[in-house]
Amino acid sequence: MEAENDVAGTIIDADDDEIYVNGGADGGESQRHRPIISGEQLDVEAYAALYTGRTKISRLLFIAEKCGVVSMQLEALRMAYDEIKKGENTQLHREVVEKIDGRLGPNYVHDNAWADAVDRRAQLRKEKLENELNAYRTNLIKESIRMGYNDFGDFYYAHGQLGEAFKNYVRTRDYCTTSKHIIHMCLNAILVSIEMGQFTHVASYVSKAEQSQDALDPVTIEKLHCAAGLAYLEGKKYKLAARKFLETGPELGNNYTESKVIDNINFRNFLELVPEMRELINDFYTSHYASCLEYLRNLKTNLLLDIHLHDHVETLYEQIRNKALIQYTLPFVSVDLHMMANAFNTNVTGLEKELEALITNDQIQARIDSHNKILYARHADQRNGTFQRVLQTGNEFDREVRAMLLRANLIKHDYNLKTSRKY
């Protein structure tokens, strides 16, 4: 049986700058630190170099499906085909060949010899694992049984059977004897759950792993932060997701004030890899909203190709724009809509509709003078509000005192109302 630390495909052996790694060749340090998100067309090769194994394949297939550019699609499919040949997932190989449909020439067709050889090795490997596990279960050796189920999980994961992999990883829970074993089980369960899109399981196993604080090393903690961030992102809990991602330190590469983002030493390293994102955030905090929103527009196409972020791009963009509109109006008693439209690089009519929606949703306390195109803030009269609260408190106190005096006098004169009993 293979040693536990040598098992391929588990996230215990992942590189420090990733949430998890699924096996495959390393893209090289020079490629890993190249900025790949920009206003220009996505550099598929540089993007793919950030990942390995099944994760790399999944992202390439997603790009091929969503990009809408034939040249980019074929490049992504070619790289996915090459990556699959490094592993043992013959089913995924067949699916990619169908997507390529002969457009990449004779070198990228179904490789029957390779597939048959992989399937034969897989059958022999499976029989061997079954025999070993049966022997361990007969001898009731808990550690060996745990490793046997873990090897089965790795086997099924390598062959794309994620449901079976998850079952076997979770079965190791009954045979864990140390906190480190529990964390190992949780990380494997998180890995497969992310692949299957079961983010409820991700959140559950992150919580379970965090209960074993004594056995958590810095790299594992950062992996759990990232996994929790993904779970919150899929649940549309964007603030909680942002907090988790901001907590990610240099071990994996890393109220939203400037100090939490721009002045965050750990997160600043990430921003340096993507200059457009750094400039975007700086523009937002310095109130250069037109430039900020322009950066966002340039990045949108590539962000829509992210396998986790694509479903949330429109919502996040809307929330960022609304936040900018709200921040712009906060310091002023009145705002000229023509000047505000110029600041946001839009027209007055469109801006007015956006402000109307924010006022209706009670996100901006203001009213619009449509004739003169001026927004007037409705600042609460704090002096009057204080007097009203004082008067209300006084009236409540007076009422309570009168009730207490009435009750005291009733008791003093023994004036009790007794209910009659019916027999």
Side-chain angles (χ1 to χ4, degrees), residues 70-298:
V70 176
S71 60
M72 185 187 293
Q73 180 188 47
L74 292 177
E75 176 69 7
L77 289 173
R78 181 188 64 77
M79 296 180 69
Y81 182 97
D82 292 338
E83 190 67 27
I84 289 169
K85 292 291 291 289
K86 299 174 184 177
E88 300 176 308
N89 193 337
T90 55
Q91 177 59 35
L92 194 57
H93 173 72
R94 284 189 285 270
E95 292 175 7
V96 171
V97 169
E98 288 180 7
K99 292 179 185 293
I100 293 173
D101 194 23
R103 291 177 293 172
L104 291 174
N107 293 329
Y108 291 90
V109 296
H110 183 60
D111 190 337
N112 290 310
W114 173 83
D116 291 343
V118 168
D119 288 340
R120 284 196 299 272
R121 288 199 304 270
Q123 186 59 36
L124 293 174
R125 172 71 174 158
K126 184 178 180 180
E127 291 175 359
K128 179 183 177 183
L129 290 175
E130 286 175 345
N131 292 334
E132 289 178 346
L133 182 58
N134 289 333
Y136 297 146
R137 293 172 67 179
T138 301
N139 296 328
L140 297 177
I141 304 173
K142 293 186 70 173
E143 175 61 12
S144 296
I145 296 173
R146 183 186 72 83
M147 293 181 67
Y149 278 125
N150 197 68
D151 285 346
F152 251 120
D154 295 337
F155 171 81
Y156 283 122
Y157 181 81
H159 290 83
Q161 300 179 47
L162 300 181
E164 292 298 321
F166 181 79
K167 290 178 184 177
N168 281 277
Y169 284 140
V170 172
R171 283 173 184 160
T172 64
R173 177 175 53 190
D174 296 333
Y175 304 96
C176 292
T177 55
T178 66
S179 297
K180 191 172 182 179
H181 292 165
I182 293 172
I183 292 171
H184 186 272
M185 180 273 296
C186 290
L187 288 173
N188 285 330
I190 290 168
L191 164 64
V192 181
S193 297
I194 291 174
E195 296 275 357
M196 294 191 298
Q198 300 291 334
F199 287 93
T200 303
H201 290 160
V202 174
S204 174
Y205 283 100
V206 166
S207 177
K208 189 182 295 291
E210 288 177 341
Q211 293 174 9
S212 305
Q213 288 291 333
D214 55 321
L216 290 175
D217 57 80
V219 174
T220 302
I221 291 172
E222 306 310 331
K223 291 178 183 177
L224 295 177
H225 286 162
C226 289
L230 282 178
Y232 284 132
L233 177 65
E234 292 298 325
K236 301 185 187 300
K237 299 176 181 177
Y238 300 124
K239 287 188 178 180
L240 294 175
R243 287 195 186 114
K244 286 297 180 181
F245 291 138
L246 284 171
E247 288 174 4
T248 304
E251 288 80 3
L252 292 186
N254 211 1
N255 328 351
Y256 302 95
T257 60
E258 187 173 358
S259 61
K260 287 187 179 180
V261 182
I262 298 175
D263 296 336
N264 184 325
I265 296 175
N266 292 334
F267 203 73
R268 191 188 302 163
N269 296 329
F270 297 138
L271 294 179
E272 292 300 325
L273 299 178
V274 191
E276 290 90 347
M277 195 64 68
R278 181 194 63 215
E279 295 302 322
L280 183 159
I281 295 172
N282 278 319
D283 284 342
F284 186 89
Y285 283 114
T286 55
S287 301
H288 296 146
Y289 298 119
S291 175
C292 170
L293 296 174
E294 183 64 27
Y295 275 120
L296 282 173
R297 276 192 292 271
N298 292 337

